[in-house]
Amino acid sequence: MRRLLFGQRGAAESKAPIIITLIVIGILVFLAYKFVPIKWRNMKFTDELQDLLNINYSRDYKEAARGAFNEYTMREKILNLAKQHQIPIKDPDRQMAVEWPERRIFTVTIDYEEVIDLPLYGPYVWPFHIYAEQDPHSGKGV
């Protein structure tokens, strides 16, 4: 590294391009450090939300017989899943909608924002919109 920055190859060569490149790489690494964990958390939450919606009724027949699968119980399960993944749902009545029209398939809509503090820029608000619905063939034998 020292030879790269301070090496003598000729009087006309400049060290500015490599220094600028290192600064840009440093900035990109910092931004990745700030943004990637939040996106990863959102992706994991969305995957587990889809798994939660695709209820295997044949496996969970006892819970289904007790009426454990309705809008209210599914809403509570989704809120617990959001808390587990540290998804900031502060007002569930406005940010989340769980529907089960005519007892066909569950649909979930979640809107939330993540705030990322960036130096020199200030707080950056990253909005997320998740729409997930139950697979109509889930839980049924093929």
Side-chain angles (χ1 to χ4, degrees):
M1 182 75 158
R2 184 165 199 235
R3 192 176 91 186
L4 187 64
L5 290 175
F6 303 111
Q8 296 288 331
R9 289 194 183 158
E13 287 190 18
S14 172
K15 305 300 185 244
I18 191 141
I19 291 173
I20 292 171
T21 303
L22 290 175
I23 290 171
V24 168
I25 289 173
I27 291 170
L28 291 175
V29 166
F30 176 75
L31 290 175
Y33 171 75
K34 288 290 206 174
F35 283 85
V36 168
I38 292 173
K39 184 62 178 174
W40 182 262
R41 206 174 27 188
N42 177 350
M43 289 172 24
K44 294 292 284 182
F45 173 68
T46 305
D47 288 345
E48 289 192 27
L49 176 65
Q50 191 64 49
D51 290 343
L52 179 65
L53 288 178
N54 291 335
I55 303 161
N56 187 347
Y57 290 108
S58 60
R59 186 188 68 212
D60 299 327
Y61 68 95
K62 288 181 183 177
E63 287 187 48
R66 286 190 311 232
F69 300 117
N70 58 40
E71 301 96 286
Y72 308 108
T73 56
M74 191 59 71
R75 182 181 181 86
E76 291 301 317
K77 290 179 182 184
I78 292 170
L79 285 174
N80 289 337
L81 187 65
K83 186 183 288 186
Q84 176 185 350
H85 286 280
Q86 301 169 350
I87 302 297
I89 299 177
K90 294 178 179 95
D91 187 9
D93 295 331
R94 285 188 34 228
Q95 292 179 300
M96 186 171 72
V98 180
E99 297 174 359
W100 197 24
E102 301 171 8
R103 301 193 184 274
R104 302 276 172 127
I105 60 172
F106 282 106
T107 59
V108 176
T109 306
I110 300 173
D111 293 308
Y112 70 96
E113 298 173 340
E114 291 272 0
V115 179
I116 303 167
D117 291 323
L118 298 173
L120 301 176
Y121 184 79
Y124 174 75
V125 178
W126 193 1
F128 287 97
H129 174 78
I130 299 173
Y131 176 79
E133 66 181 24
Q134 182 181 18
D135 181 11
H137 302 293
S138 64
K140 297 186 172 75
V142 180

